[in-house]
Amino acid sequence: MTPNVAAAKEKLAHLEIDDNPVTIKNKSRDFFWYSPVLKTRLDHVVGDFVVSPRNEAEVIEVLKVCYEHDCPVTTRGAGTGNYGQAMPFSGGCVMHMKNMTEVKEVLPGRVIVEPGCLLKDLDAACIAASGQEIRMFSSTWATATIGGFIAGGSGGVGSVRWGSLRDLGNIIRLRVVTMEEEPLVHEFTGEELARVSHAYGTNGIITELEMPLAPAYEWVDVGVAFDDFMDAAKYADDLANEDGILLKLATPIEAPVPYDYFQRFKPYIRREQNLVMLMVAPQSIDAFETFTKRVASAEIIYRSDDNDWARNPGHIFEYAWNHTTLRGLKFDPTITYLQVRYGFPDHLEKVAEIRKIFGDEVPQHLEAIRGNGKIHFAGLPIVRFTTEERLEEIIRIHEDLGCMIFNPHRYTLEEGGRQMADARQLDFKREADPKGLLNPGKMIAWDKPDWSYETMYDYSGMRKAG
Amino acid sequence: MTPNVAAAKEKLAHLEIDDNPVTIKNKSRDFFWYSPVLKTRLDHVVGDFVVSPRNEAEVIEVLKVCYEHDCPVTTRGAGTGNYGQAMPFSGGCVMHMKNMTEVKEVLPGRVIVEPGCLLKDLDAACIAASGQEIRMFSSTWATATIGGFIAGGSGGVGSVRWGSLRDLGNIIRLRVVTMEEEPLVHEFTGEELARVSHAYGTNGIITELEMPLAPAYEWVDVGVAFDDFMDAAKYADDLANEDGILLKLATPIEAPVPYDYFQRFKPYIRREQNLVMLMVAPQSIDAFETFTKRVASAEIIYRSDDNDWARNPGHIFEYAWNHTTLRGLKFDPTITYLQVRYGFPDHLEKVAEIRKIFGDEVPQHLEAIRGNGKIHFAGLPIVRFTTEERLEEIIRIHEDLGCMIFNPHRYTLEEGGRQMADARQLDFKREADPKGLLNPGKMIAWDKPDWSYETMYDYSGMRKAG
């Protein structure tokens, strides 16, 4: 099978094609540089051309033509993922969804939308139509797309209330096009959703999504400072367990991260203070204050609805989730991060253990989230990176303590997930992408079913640098 | 202190007064007859006159005049409580809130309302104004008032999502009038709310409420049958722990209660089948079906959005909470019930233990609710009543197993609650009702601070029968 990229490109010439080398390179990258490991390995990755279909018919045409010519197709939204999700390892066609942005219908509790719609624009449309908003979004809300979030994300702001994207009910329906001789269009609901959600576009291309909505509120952003980090973590855990207080975010961050990396917070926080960032529904603010007054160690330093700060810090969620590390990288490009799961019920104890081991080498950043009905923590700690070997060691120590790692220093679905093949995704890839042309190199189960995960997977089809 | 009821009544003659003996009797009662114990003791209770103030100024006038004349005042909404909450033990004035029903303002996430507004009317107004509804309500939604629910209730339909009324955030503000020489008007928020919520009107009269709202959906009523009750209970528990599936009710009911007492379900359920009743948001229906298909023992027998039943069973919540027992009493007036708390995390195990002990003497009725962030069960089991002694024994066995009982066969705040004085309520009563005229006989801490709770409290000020 030899790809004939030029032929595919020529046959698609009537579509919106970008073949300017500078913009192709730009559109072949995501935020993989969060990871020093991926940075080394993926920096050279570049596609051959970018096509931006305007509708599903054009998506079908792209997939059909590329199938004919054995041309790889890597689909992307805004490219704000940081596992290399949307990077065309084998070159070929980068399919950019920026033209498919229509919000088709807003209904009570749900919205139907095209994949290229920005999360920000989707929320604006839902709020305008009905006072609703999406249940959860990534901290890249202002620039990321809904399709990219579903295909490459796992949860985020709102997960403290609604759990993860993989939980039943957090995606209602996905419309998916396959890459076959004659591409098929599927409507997936229920159990079928797991085939293509969080599959990086390796086994089908989402052309329409139906997502649940929650009421939109004028969320009050709040920052609460603590001298002791475990006090901060316990406060966030307890508050998130208050059933009558509606939150959209509860994020404990260890000192000195807020002082060192959150410029607009710096004048109002001491370097040794830890910060809990919250989004509180306005109708819950009084109860939030009541709860907080009971906690002697808590000091409210910021409220978006009442402050005299010289400079508006902006949305507080843009300091949380992946944005914490992003802000850190601007001050210290040598840092990186991890993705940890501290499971219920011993999530607080586990965090305490990890802190004792690593101290300031791994400053904690927690996100209170729900899973199986219980509040616990996702961890996105900063790592003061030294070597790949030490990073591996840090990961191993976490795992030995029973803290699951979703390794953000790997580019495959499996290594960034639970280190095992997802049979549903693999089975559907066999059906939907028989030639293996969709986002090559991201699914180990497809390429090397007997991989053992002890070392980093090295995709053999990766186009070489230069 | 000798009450001069006649003088008080005369001085209030310009207000809406009812002194027809038949309607006075009617308005002196609530659903106390759920309990054979209370039925014996409270059946004769009757006030001397009923006054129905039209606004806060008239409430103040009633309280001031009755204070002057040492006339007891027992305040009531619709009288759908079943602890004798709203019954005038010492006679005197029954203050009926039926004329104070205004929905004053509907805002995003909150509503301001007068206490006499029916829950049903409140929901209708909130839905019409903004597509919102109250977070939780009693199964007596169609007839009960919001003021009565807050002063006498603890939770209900919606508690599976939002916890209990006592949880921070589930009441925002209460406006309260005291019974002093010059009645004062207080606005209570935060910690102060606990003074008067669930205080049966013993220490102040609520004249306005600010309550949080949730989005209103066209909830789908669902009935799921199981051959084994513990399968039913586990299913409800697991479903309520699905973070992405929005429920308003999850109620497992043991056989033969559904068959014997739920007439419109009878043609569609076998006598030995247990029933889980659910209210599911429409946007979660697909996920609900997906979840339910995973449970081999579950059989969906009813969906309000898709059924061919000859007769509409009506709102499914009118088979849940206190309505389960109410329906049972129509078929078998000898039954009664209990209120149990099966706490997390061993709520399922505790239910199993209790069932082994009592079998069909105490058919189980559970309500999945949230408390401290965790799903667990409120139990409202049917009790096949024989004697008061056996009822006491059943209660004691529950308590010995670590299942807290909120005894619905007692008429005091303490005995129906946690069997201890609430210092906040008592302290506020000292301030707000110095003569002890508000709903006499309901707060043991006021009447007999050294009461030991080993036997049923017998209020010495209770007016004798005849």
Side-chain angles (χ1 to χ4, degrees):
Chain A
M1 192 173 83
T2 313
N4 189 341
V5 174
K9 184 180 163 192
E10 199 188 315
K11 209 156 174 184
L12 295 170
H14 59 291
L15 303 185
E16 182 178 324
I17 299 275
D18 184 343
D19 54 8
N20 174 330
V22 175
T23 52
I24 293 177
K25 185 169 178 200
N26 194 11
K27 288 174 180 168
S28 297
R29 298 161 79 83
D30 64 12
F31 288 8
F32 69 101
W33 39 261
Y34 267 59
S35 162
V37 179
L38 297 186
K39 193 168 181 177
T40 314
R41 287 163 177 81
L42 302 184
D43 200 45
H44 69 286
V45 167
V46 66
D48 292 297
F49 68 97
V50 180
V51 60
S52 303
R54 277 168 288 245
N55 51 48
E56 187 183 85
E58 292 191 1
V59 170
I60 291 171
E61 191 177 352
V62 170
L63 295 173
K64 187 176 158 67
V65 166
C66 289
Y67 178 90
E68 255 170 56
H69 298 285
D70 301 326
C71 173
V73 176
T74 298
T75 307
R76 59 178 278 138
T80 56
N82 41 6
Y83 287 67
Q85 285 106 314
M87 297 178 69
F89 291 175
S90 310
C93 170
V94 171
M95 183 155 64
H96 198 298
M97 304 307 276
K98 67 174 185 181
N99 289 329
M100 291 180 64
T101 63
E102 193 190 345
V103 178
K104 293 183 168 181
E105 200 174 358
V106 183
L107 299 158
R110 65 180 83 200
V111 62
I112 299 170
V113 61
E114 288 188 326
C117 184
L118 299 188
L119 296 170
K120 178 181 71 168
D121 295 340
L122 177 55
D123 266 353
C126 293
I127 288 171
S130 64
Q132 300 180 95
E133 63 186 23
I134 46 177
R135 285 181 174 180
M136 64 186 83
F137 55 78
S138 57
S139 66
T140 50
W141 172 84
T143 52
T145 66
I146 182 69
F149 183 46
I150 300 310
S154 58
V157 185
S159 288
V160 67
R161 189 78 191 166
W162 296 103
S164 301
L165 281 173
R166 78 164 63 81
D167 289 324
L168 286 175
N170 284 331
I171 304 170
I172 297 174
R173 182 178 57 83
L174 295 174
R175 190 172 162 96
V176 174
V177 178
T178 66
M179 191 172 187
E180 305 172 69
E181 190 172 347
E182 291 300 335
L184 296 176
V185 179
H186 294 284
E187 296 273 2
F188 287 155
T189 59
E191 302 288 1
E192 297 162 333
L193 291 166
R195 293 178 180 173
V196 292
S197 60
H198 200 79
Y200 296 0
T202 56
N203 58 8
I205 304 307
I206 298 168
T207 56
E208 185 180 285
L209 308 93
E210 187 168 339
M211 297 293 292
L213 297 176
Y217 296 111
E218 304 250 339
W219 299 97
V220 181
D221 289 350
V222 180
V224 188
F226 293 82
D227 288 342
D228 181 83
F229 180 72
M230 289 313 298
D231 283 351
K234 182 171 189 312
Y235 167 84
D237 189 48
D238 288 345
L239 180 58
N241 272 295
E242 283 288 328
D243 298 305
I245 298 180
L246 184 58
L247 303 178
K248 192 151 182 156
L249 185 79
T251 311
I253 312 239
E254 187 171 3
V257 172
Y259 181 89
D260 282 357
Y261 301 152
F262 299 172
Q263 218 164 352
R264 298 206 178 171
F265 280 78
K266 197 165 184 160
Y268 306 99
I269 194 166
R270 282 176 283 112
R271 189 163 191 268
E272 62 276 17
Q273 275 185 310
N274 308 278
L275 183 64
V276 175
M277 301 187 295
L278 302 163
M279 289 169 67
V280 184
Q283 66 270 32
S284 294
I285 271 289
D286 194 69
F288 154 76
E289 288 184 273
T290 306
F291 175 88
T292 303
K293 274 185 200 140
R294 294 177 183 173
V295 181
S297 55
E299 181 196 347
I300 298 176
I301 62 166
Y302 176 71
R303 281 177 60 156
S304 59
D305 63 344
D306 180 16
N307 70 78
D308 56 2
W309 285 24
R311 300 178 70 195
N312 183 341
H315 292 300
I316 207 155
F317 67 74
E318 290 177 339
Y319 297 80
W321 288 92
N322 279 357
H323 263 67
T324 311
T325 308
L326 187 62
R327 288 185 185 266
L329 282 164
K330 288 181 186 162
F331 286 86
D332 181 355
T334 69
I335 64 163
T336 187
Y337 84 129
L338 283 181
Q339 298 215 353
V340 190
R341 186 62 49 95
Y342 298 106
F344 178 86
D346 52 358
H347 45 298
L348 281 164
E349 291 76 5
K350 285 271 193 288
V351 170
E353 278 182 77
I354 288 287
R355 286 182 74 234
K356 265 185 206 142
I357 295 170
F358 296 111
D360 189 59
E361 186 183 7
V362 184
Q364 287 300 315
H365 159 199
L366 305 175
E367 297 285 349
I369 63 170
R370 269 188 202 282
N372 299 320
K374 318 296 184 301
I375 292 291
H376 62 284
F377 293 131
L380 295 89
I382 301 284
V383 176
R384 304 200 190 276
F385 181 75
T386 48
T387 65
E388 286 197 15
E389 292 65 38
R390 176 58 182 162
L391 183 60
E392 286 303 302
E393 192 174 41
I394 292 171
I395 289 172
R396 205 170 50 247
I397 292 169
H398 276 81
E399 289 173 340
D400 288 349
L401 276 171
C403 306
M404 187 183 283
I405 295 280
F406 302 89
N407 193 340
H409 307 285
R410 296 293 183 267
Y411 53 69
T412 61
L413 284 162
E414 291 92 340
E415 292 167 299
R418 287 159 192 268
Q419 301 200 355
M420 53 186 192
D422 184 322
R424 296 165 303 190
Q425 294 188 346
L426 175 61
D427 288 349
F428 186 61
K429 187 171 175 74
R430 291 202 179 103
E431 193 180 309
D433 178 28
K435 288 188 176 176
L437 294 168
L438 286 173
N439 205 354
K442 305 298 166 60
M443 193 192 283
I444 299 178
W446 176 265
D447 295 319
K448 279 239 196 287
D450 54 351
W451 187 254
S452 69
Y453 302 108
E454 277 136 37
T455 54
M456 183 174 179
Y457 181 67
D458 186 10
Y459 175 51
S460 65
M462 179 96 66
R463 193 190 273 186
K464 297 290 171 266
Chain B
M1 191 173 84
T2 314
N4 190 341
V5 175
K9 184 181 163 193
E10 200 188 312
K11 208 153 174 186
L12 295 170
H14 58 292
L15 303 186
E16 183 179 321
I17 300 276
D18 184 344
D19 54 8
N20 175 327
V22 174
T23 51
I24 293 177
K25 185 170 179 198
N26 193 9
K27 288 174 179 168
S28 298
R29 297 160 81 82
D30 64 13
F31 288 8
F32 69 102
W33 39 261
Y34 266 59
S35 162
V37 178
L38 297 185
K39 194 169 179 174
T40 314
R41 287 163 178 80
L42 303 183
D43 200 46
H44 68 285
V45 167
V46 66
D48 292 298
F49 69 98
V50 180
V51 60
S52 304
R54 277 167 289 244
N55 50 50
E56 186 182 86
E58 291 191 1
V59 170
I60 291 172
E61 191 178 351
V62 169
L63 294 174
K64 186 175 158 70
V65 166
C66 288
Y67 179 89
E68 253 171 57
H69 297 286
D70 301 326
C71 174
V73 176
T74 299
T75 307
R76 62 180 276 140
T80 56
N82 42 7
Y83 285 67
Q85 285 106 315
M87 296 178 69
F89 292 175
S90 310
C93 170
V94 172
M95 185 155 64
H96 199 298
M97 303 308 276
K98 68 175 185 180
N99 289 329
M100 291 180 63
T101 63
E102 193 189 348
V103 179
K104 294 183 168 181
E105 200 172 359
V106 184
L107 299 157
R110 64 180 84 199
V111 61
I112 300 169
V113 61
E114 288 189 325
C117 184
L118 299 187
L119 296 170
K120 178 181 72 169
D121 295 339
L122 177 55
D123 266 355
C126 293
I127 289 171
S130 65
Q132 299 181 96
E133 64 186 23
I134 46 178
R135 285 181 173 179
M136 64 187 82
F137 55 77
S138 57
S139 67
T140 51
W141 172 84
T143 53
T145 67
I146 182 68
F149 182 47
I150 300 311
S154 58
V157 184
S159 288
V160 68
R161 190 77 191 165
W162 296 104
S164 301
L165 281 173
R166 77 164 64 81
D167 290 324
L168 286 175
N170 284 330
I171 303 169
I172 296 175
R173 182 178 57 82
L174 297 174
R175 189 173 163 96
V176 173
V177 178
T178 65
M179 191 171 186
E180 304 172 70
E181 191 173 346
E182 290 300 331
L184 296 176
V185 180
H186 295 283
E187 297 272 2
F188 286 156
T189 58
E191 302 288 3
E192 297 162 335
L193 291 166
R195 294 179 180 173
V196 292
S197 60
H198 200 78
Y200 296 0
T202 56
N203 59 10
I205 304 307
I206 298 167
T207 57
E208 185 178 285
L209 307 93
E210 187 168 341
M211 297 292 294
L213 297 176
Y217 295 111
E218 304 250 339
W219 299 97
V220 181
D221 289 349
V222 180
V224 187
F226 293 81
D227 288 342
D228 180 82
F229 180 73
M230 289 313 299
D231 283 352
K234 183 172 187 313
Y235 167 85
D237 189 48
D238 289 346
L239 179 58
N241 273 294
E242 282 288 329
D243 298 306
I245 298 180
L246 184 58
L247 302 178
K248 191 148 181 158
L249 185 79
T251 310
I253 312 240
E254 186 171 4
V257 171
Y259 182 89
D260 283 357
Y261 300 152
F262 299 173
Q263 220 166 350
R264 299 207 175 169
F265 280 79
K266 196 164 184 162
Y268 307 98
I269 194 165
R270 284 174 283 112
R271 187 162 192 269
E272 62 276 16
Q273 274 185 311
N274 308 278
L275 184 65
V276 174
M277 301 187 294
L278 301 163
M279 289 169 68
V280 184
Q283 66 270 31
S284 294
I285 271 289
D286 194 69
F288 153 77
E289 288 184 90
T290 306
F291 175 88
T292 302
K293 274 184 200 141
R294 293 177 184 174
V295 181
S297 55
E299 181 196 346
I300 298 176
I301 62 167
Y302 176 71
R303 280 177 60 155
S304 59
D305 63 343
D306 181 15
N307 71 78
D308 56 2
W309 285 25
R311 300 178 71 195
N312 182 341
H315 291 300
I316 208 156
F317 68 72
E318 289 178 340
Y319 296 81
W321 288 92
N322 279 357
H323 264 67
T324 311
T325 307
L326 188 62
R327 288 184 185 268
L329 282 164
K330 287 181 185 163
F331 285 86
D332 181 355
T334 69
I335 64 164
T336 187
Y337 84 131
L338 283 181
Q339 298 216 354
V340 190
R341 186 60 51 95
Y342 297 106
F344 178 86
D346 52 358
H347 45 298
L348 281 164
E349 292 75 7
K350 285 271 193 290
V351 169
E353 279 183 75
I354 288 288
R355 286 182 74 233
K356 267 186 205 141
I357 295 169
F358 295 111
D360 189 58
E361 185 183 8
V362 183
Q364 287 300 314
H365 159 198
L366 306 174
E367 297 286 349
I369 64 171
R370 267 189 202 282
N372 300 319
K374 318 295 185 303
I375 292 291
H376 62 284
F377 293 131
L380 296 88
I382 301 284
V383 176
R384 304 202 191 273
F385 180 75
T386 48
T387 65
E388 287 196 14
E389 292 66 36
R390 177 57 182 162
L391 183 61
E392 286 304 302
E393 192 173 40
I394 292 171
I395 289 172
R396 206 171 46 248
I397 293 168
H398 277 81
E399 289 174 339
D400 288 348
L401 275 171
C403 307
M404 188 183 282
I405 295 280
F406 301 89
N407 193 340
H409 306 285
R410 296 292 184 269
Y411 53 70
T412 61
L413 283 161
E414 291 92 340
E415 292 168 298
R418 288 161 191 267
Q419 301 201 354
M420 54 186 192
D422 184 321
R424 296 166 303 190
Q425 294 188 346
L426 175 61
D427 288 350
F428 186 59
K429 186 170 175 73
R430 291 201 180 104
E431 194 181 308
D433 179 27
K435 286 188 176 176
L437 294 168
L438 286 173
N439 205 355
K442 305 300 166 55
M443 191 191 283
I444 299 179
W446 177 265
D447 295 319
K448 279 238 197 290
D450 54 349
W451 187 253
S452 70
Y453 301 108
E454 278 137 37
T455 54
M456 181 172 179
Y457 180 66
D458 186 10
Y459 174 50
S460 64
M462 180 94 68
R463 193 190 272 186
K464 297 291 171 267

